[in-house]
Amino acid sequence: MIGLFERLARPFLHALDPEDAHSLTIKMLACAPLPRAAGDDKCLAVRAFGLNFPNPIGMAAGFDKNAEVPDALLRLGFGFVEAGTVTPLPQRGNPRPRVFRLNADRGVINRLGFNSQGAEAVLRRLAARANAGGIVGINIGANKDAADRVADYVRLIERFAPVASYVTINISSPNTPGLRNLQQAEALDDLLARVIDARERVTRRAGPTPVLLKIAPDLSLAELDDVVGIARARRVDGMIVGNTTLTRPANLRETGKAKEAGGLSGRPLLPLATRMLAETYVRVEGAFPLIGVGGIDSGTAALGKIRAGASLIQLYSALVFRGLGLVAEIKSALIAALESDSLDNLSELVGADAAAVTAEAWPG
Ligand SMILES: Cc1cc2nc3c(=O)[nH]c(=O)nc-3n(C[C@H](O)[C@H](O)[C@H](O)COP(=O)(O)O)c2cc1C
């Protein structure tokens, strides 16, 4: 049903400004009477961060920034949903237009700049569904004008840890000036020390909530050494690799739109994001699981992420071009891959190609 509806709706949505099309999609999901998703094959189940995921495919942050439709997305077959990025106070983000489709490249450039309804509104929605089941994490960010950005993260951890399955510290959006500086060693160590401390305080009354760190794919390998070292020392529960890229691969076909400022996602991001995932995996040495995100638009790409080191994956941009049927397609491809190798579970494939990927020429 939803597949047919989507096929009919997609040409119409693509005729709209990308942001208008997105708002309309959220409104449709909010009121669509969706049946509960069929149970997943148990070979797709993943245990990570102390949570049981029915399948490894997550909706990436940025799609449901204000936690308006997490349960609709779970019903559509996602194994988990990451709402956000939410900021403490509401903010409008950058002036429009600020989202661009690179159709020929199957890519997206966005410079939204953390448009958020703010913590109050998002907290109310997550609290209302806190007992509904299903894994719904929240991705948190600092307000653009915050005097003390670290204090923003601490405040958000304290507020959201009791109502979210996990919390992601987003210090990798390219669209809030200076935010990525929090990935530098000294700043990151201070941030994580205070964030983990806040999580421990909340744990005493609300139980443990995993804290994940989402990084940019644009870090140098020396910077990645520092980031992973600090994440391990501060005992984060996992990392997400990664956010959108400020780089522009030389082979982009939409050369005009490629000049728009902002973060690039979708198919053109796949090689860089997968390389950074493998580089992260070999540095983490099994200390915690990784979520691989960036450019997944097929079963093959999803399997490539898992083999490069991802225990779980997330996607966003490919849904614009491929629609929600992609989720079922990826599940079938993963099940087929397990059957052809006579394996019981995806965990046996995680990181199988990581060393090989890190030995390849750097993606250009
Ligand atoms: C329009 C748009 C908005 C996004 N907003 C956020 C966000 O608020 N927070 C965040 O951590 N990532 C955000 N992202 C990044 C995605 O979560 C993801 O890391 C990135 O797009 C790569 O995955 P993809 O190639 O499957 O889209 C956004 C991406 C897009 C395309």
Side-chain angles (χ1 to χ4, degrees):
M1 234 341 241
I2 187 88
L4 176 66
F5 173 73
E6 245 207 306
R7 267 200 298 284
L8 297 173
R10 205 167 326 134
F12 167 69
L13 290 173
H14 274 232
L16 298 178
D17 163 78
E19 216 180 320
D20 289 337
H22 181 257
S23 307
L24 195 58
T25 304
I26 296 281
K27 285 199 179 85
M28 289 192 301
L29 287 174
C31 61
L34 298 169
R36 189 168 293 279
D40 285 312
D41 194 310
K42 71 175 185 331
C43 71
L44 294 178
V46 176
R47 183 161 173 84
F49 326 125
L51 302 171
N52 291 316
F53 296 77
N55 73 68
I57 309 162
M59 174 58 94
F63 181 87
D64 190 10
K65 281 184 185 270
N66 297 300
E68 292 169 282
V69 292
D71 294 293
L73 294 169
L74 293 173
R75 281 172 185 259
L76 288 168
F78 283 98
F80 65 112
V81 174
E82 185 165 314
T85 297
V86 60
T87 53
L89 301 173
Q91 62 176 30
R92 302 174 80 86
N94 291 319
R96 290 176 70 165
R98 51 192 184 172
V99 184
F100 306 88
R101 288 188 208 103
L102 281 65
N103 289 322
D105 301 299
R106 300 269 174 121
V108 174
I109 290 177
N110 93 81
R111 53 169 179 270
L112 288 164
F114 284 173
N115 50 320
S116 172
Q117 291 176 6
E120 274 327 308
V122 175
L123 195 64
R124 215 178 321 111
R125 291 187 193 115
L126 288 184
R129 60 124 0 249
N131 297 322
I135 297 182
V136 179
I138 183 75
N139 178 304
I140 63 174
N143 275 117
K144 183 174 175 217
D145 299 327
D148 178 355
R149 285 189 169 157
V150 175
D152 273 13
Y153 288 96
V154 167
R155 190 141 49 104
L156 290 173
I157 285 270
E158 287 169 347
R159 304 206 64 193
F160 281 95
V163 296
S165 305
Y166 68 87
V167 181
T168 299
I169 310 294
N170 179 10
I171 47 170
S172 49
S173 166
N175 301 314
T176 295
L179 190 83
R180 284 182 167 196
N181 295 341
L182 287 171
Q183 294 176 126
Q184 285 162 11
E186 207 176 317
L188 181 65
D189 192 52
D190 176 53
L191 171 72
L192 290 184
R194 288 169 63 186
V195 156
I196 296 292
D197 191 47
R199 191 272 304 271
E200 296 311 314
R201 279 197 306 278
V202 185
T203 298
R204 272 177 237 135
R205 62 184 158 86
T209 306
V211 170
L212 314 184
L213 181 68
K214 183 167 178 179
I215 63 169
D218 300 332
L219 295 171
S220 69
L221 293 181
E223 287 168 327
L224 186 64
D225 287 340
D226 286 346
V227 167
V228 171
I230 293 164
R232 289 180 65 171
R234 292 291 173 194
R235 295 181 174 278
V236 303
D237 297 276
M239 283 174 58
I240 305 183
V241 188
N243 218 309
T244 57
T245 180
L246 286 172
T247 64
R248 298 290 183 263
N251 59 359
L252 285 178
R253 291 159 68 191
E254 300 258 13
T255 48
K257 283 190 183 157
K259 293 195 184 79
E260 292 290 348
L264 173 67
S265 56
R267 186 181 284 176
L269 173 59
L270 181 68
L272 175 65
T274 304
R275 176 61 178 263
M276 286 303 280
L277 172 68
E279 297 284 355
T280 307
Y281 181 83
V282 297
R283 287 164 174 76
V284 167
E285 299 176 309
F288 45 67
L290 302 177
I291 301 182
V293 49
I296 297 173
D297 66 352
S298 66
T300 309
L303 194 60
K305 284 279 191 225
I306 291 169
R307 297 186 68 99
S311 294
L312 298 159
I313 57 174
Q314 290 177 327
L315 49 91
Y316 179 172
S317 300
L319 297 172
V320 174
F321 303 104
R322 299 286 324 280
L324 286 156
L326 180 58
V327 178
E329 182 187 316
I330 292 175
K331 286 182 192 175
S332 303
L334 295 180
I335 293 170
L338 287 173
E339 279 171 0
S340 81
D341 286 356
S342 304
L343 299 174
D344 294 334
N345 194 268
L346 288 167
S347 61
E348 299 176 62
L349 294 174
V350 174
D353 292 346
V357 172
T358 60
E360 289 168 5
W362 195 262

